[in-house]
Each structure stands twice: as C-alpha cells, then as structure tokens.
Amino acid sequence: MTMTVGQFNFLLDRRISEIEDGYSPKETDMRSMFYSMPDPTNYIERGAAMNPRGPMRAFAGIHTYPDVAQGYQWQSTHKQFADGVQIERLLAMFDLHNYAGTRLMDLKNTGDITVQIHAALLFNNGFSASDATFDYSSTEGVATFGTHTTTSATADTSSGFINRGTSGLNWTSLKSALVSFRRFRNQEGQPWGSDHQATALVVPPELGPTAEELMGTKMGMSGINSEQTIKNILEGKYKVITWNRLSDSNNWFLINESMCKEHNKFIVAQEPELKQLTNMDEESAKCNIYGAWTVARTPVWQFGFGSEVS
C-alpha cells in the first residue's frame, strides 16, 4: 500500500510540532555470541560427520581393521526475507517532519529484528527436531536438546546422551545439569573430554534475577540453600546471559560458548540490504530491504543442556 497525502495529511500539518517515530532502539546482535558465520556455499547448505574411533583392542598377533562408521548428516535451506514502503511523491515533497525520508531507518530496524528472531531459534526451537523456517533437518531426527542416538553399532547410549531436563531453575536443578554436562559422551560412547563443562547460563528476563542470585551468592542466603553452613559451589561458575528474545519465561540453558559457536552456523548469503528507488509511472518513492540466510546445527549437540519447564 502506498503512503499518500490523503492518508497521512497530518505530516503536512504545521500545527503538529513533533511526531514520535515507530522504530525501536537498536538490538545487540547476538549472532557472534552463539554462532559461527561461515561463507555460504550452496542454496541448500549440507554437512556430514564421521564417528570417532573407540579404544584400541587387545593385540592377538595380527592387526584387525574395524569398520569406520559414518555419523549423521544435516541440511538447511537459504530463505529470502524482504519488506518495503512506497510513498507518494507529493507526500515526500511536502512532508514537514521528514517522516518519509526516515523510512530507510525504519526498514533497517525491521532487518535487525528479523535477524535476532532467527538467531534465537537455537533456543526457542531447541526442543523441536526440525525447523520449518529454514527447512533444517538432521538424519539423527532429534531435537538439539533431547535424547540423542548414535550410528555406532557398539556405543552404549544408556547414559551420557541426554541433554534435556524439565526442572525449573534452582540450586538443585543447576547442580544436576552440571553433572549431566560433565557426563556427556561422544558417538562411540566415550566421555566428551576430561574437563568438558558449561561456561554460560542463558536465561529469559524472568529468570535473570534467579540466575544472578545463584551465581552471586556465597552461602547461607534465602533461596539458595536452607542449611547455612553449606557453601554454594555454583558461585561465579557460569556467565549469566539474559536475552529478551527467549520466548519461554521458564526455560533455561547451559552452554559451552566456544563449542556452541563452532557447531551452530548462521550462514548469510546477503545481510539486510537497503535500497531506495523511484517509480516513474506512479510518481512514488520505494524503500526496500532484502536479505537471505539460513541457520543450522552440526550433529554435535554436546555444547549445551536445555531445561524445558512445563
């Protein structure tokens, strides 16, 4: 729809001294915190993994050569996003408040919002096995935070393959998640490193005060532990990241920041790009924004633990 003099005649009214614009303050770009951003390679981005080797076998006089197992594959599709506004030339000429002239700024804000909504899919869609936004899928067929499987014929998945909880954020549940994180196993059922642990606690604004209390209290404070002599072993253990783009007020996440960035990918074919054009036939100005990207995760899920609280 074109912005016309008839619809927006208040922009020509000298009695109006000020018009409050509709755009929001600029958001912090969180992509660099949670994602690597490799260059695009294909319209449908694809990746695969090989299973790691297990321990050596006892040597019985002759070498054996066990099968090498392929791991899971993933794919995600680049999608296009666009928006725009069309302004009657006469309105642009006599606009006393330069509202028409600032539409590019408004569209820039639209692009920033869209990028952050998609960056937050890592957590907001983390308990779902697929993502319709970018047609992401993995041959494992399991959510980022869930009960995982393996393509190995010999790995024991009875423990160390679950990175999802259901408890609300408190001292007990966070300690339990700490242990679960340390017990994660690889595709051959081996422990994920000797010192594998989380580095950050990611929460929505509603859980921010609780997270700060858990990380900032030494011992004996109400809400942490009723036994005054027990030290809070969680004090300062994790960096608290409070993000208002998390859609659920109760869900919370532990991540290893460097692993999270390595194994989650925000692949940009085109960052949001602004253009201003003139439609000579209709005597109107057009402001457009366009971008294209996709979001994906490798088969590695051991970077995080999520609690889906009902």
Side-chain angles (χ1 to χ4, degrees), residues 132-150:
T133 305
F134 298 102
D135 298 333
Y136 170 82
S137 63
S138 167
T139 53
E140 183 187 17
V142 176
T144 299
F145 307 104
T147 301
H148 293 272
T149 58
T150 175

Side-chain angles (χ1 to χ4, degrees), residues 41-297:
T41 58
N42 291 290
Y43 166 60
I44 300 178
E45 303 283 355
R46 290 182 171 89
M50 300 294 293
N51 276 358
R53 305 290 293 183
M56 292 191 298
R57 295 158 175 78
F59 184 66
I62 186 172
H63 280 287
T64 58
Y65 300 91
D67 292 338
V68 177
Q70 180 180 342
Y72 297 112
Q73 301 177 54
W74 61 267
Q75 67 177 48
S76 191
T77 305
H78 283 279
K79 294 299 178 69
Q80 302 177 93
F81 304 93
D83 200 358
V85 61
Q86 187 166 334
I87 305 165
E88 183 183 34
R89 186 173 180 179
L90 200 61
L91 177 62
M93 291 169 60
F94 290 100
D95 177 6
L96 299 175
H97 302 275
N98 195 32
Y99 183 81
T102 59
R103 291 315 83 208
L104 284 177
M105 183 184 299
D106 191 33
L107 289 175
K108 174 66 166 60
N109 182 63
T110 299
D112 293 341
I113 290 172
T114 307
V115 166
Q116 297 313 302
I117 289 173
H118 294 158
L121 288 173
L122 167 60
F123 303 108
N124 291 336
N125 197 57
F127 301 103
S128 176
S130 61
D131 171 34
T133 305
F134 298 102
D135 298 333
Y136 170 82
S137 63
S138 167
T139 53
E140 183 187 17
V142 176
T144 299
F145 307 104
T147 301
H148 293 272
T149 58
T150 175
T151 57
S152 169
T154 59
D156 179 8
T157 61
S158 60
S159 65
F161 279 79
I162 299 175
N163 68 335
R164 174 185 175 272
T166 57
S167 299
L169 180 62
N170 56 52
W171 195 59
T172 301
S173 62
L174 196 54
K175 283 198 304 178
S176 176
L178 180 155
V179 175
S180 295
F181 216 100
R182 296 295 300 274
R183 283 293 189 183
F184 287 163
R185 298 181 180 275
N186 68 16
Q187 291 295 85
E188 282 296 320
Q190 298 300 312
W192 192 276
S194 59
D195 192 34
H196 179 59
Q197 55 187 307
T199 60
L201 174 60
V202 185
V203 296
E206 291 83 356
L207 295 181
T210 301
E212 295 289 353
E213 182 184 17
L214 287 165
M215 293 301 102
T217 305
K218 293 183 180 296
M219 58 192 302
M221 293 295 290
S222 174
I224 296 296
N225 197 295
S226 60
E227 299 184 46
Q228 301 297 304
T229 58
I230 293 182
K231 174 179 171 59
N232 176 23
I233 63 169
L234 299 173
E235 181 201 359
K237 191 167 187 65
Y238 305 122
K239 177 171 72 175
V240 175
I241 302 173
T242 303
W243 193 8
N244 60 5
R245 282 292 174 188
L246 299 190
S247 58
D248 192 286
S249 61
N250 296 306
N251 295 347
W252 54 275
F253 307 85
L254 281 177
I255 62 168
N256 179 291
E257 293 165 276
S258 61
M259 276 189 67
C260 184
K261 288 186 63 171
E262 180 181 359
H263 296 289
N264 289 279
K265 303 179 183 299
F266 201 110
I267 308 172
V268 178
Q270 175 61 59
E271 289 280 6
E273 178 185 45
L274 295 164
K275 288 185 178 180
Q276 189 164 353
L277 308 170
T278 300
N279 187 326
M280 301 303 294
D281 292 332
E282 299 178 8
E283 290 297 341
S284 63
K286 292 183 176 181
C287 302
N288 297 326
I289 187 169
Y290 170 87
W293 53 80
T294 191
V295 176
R297 172 180 66 85

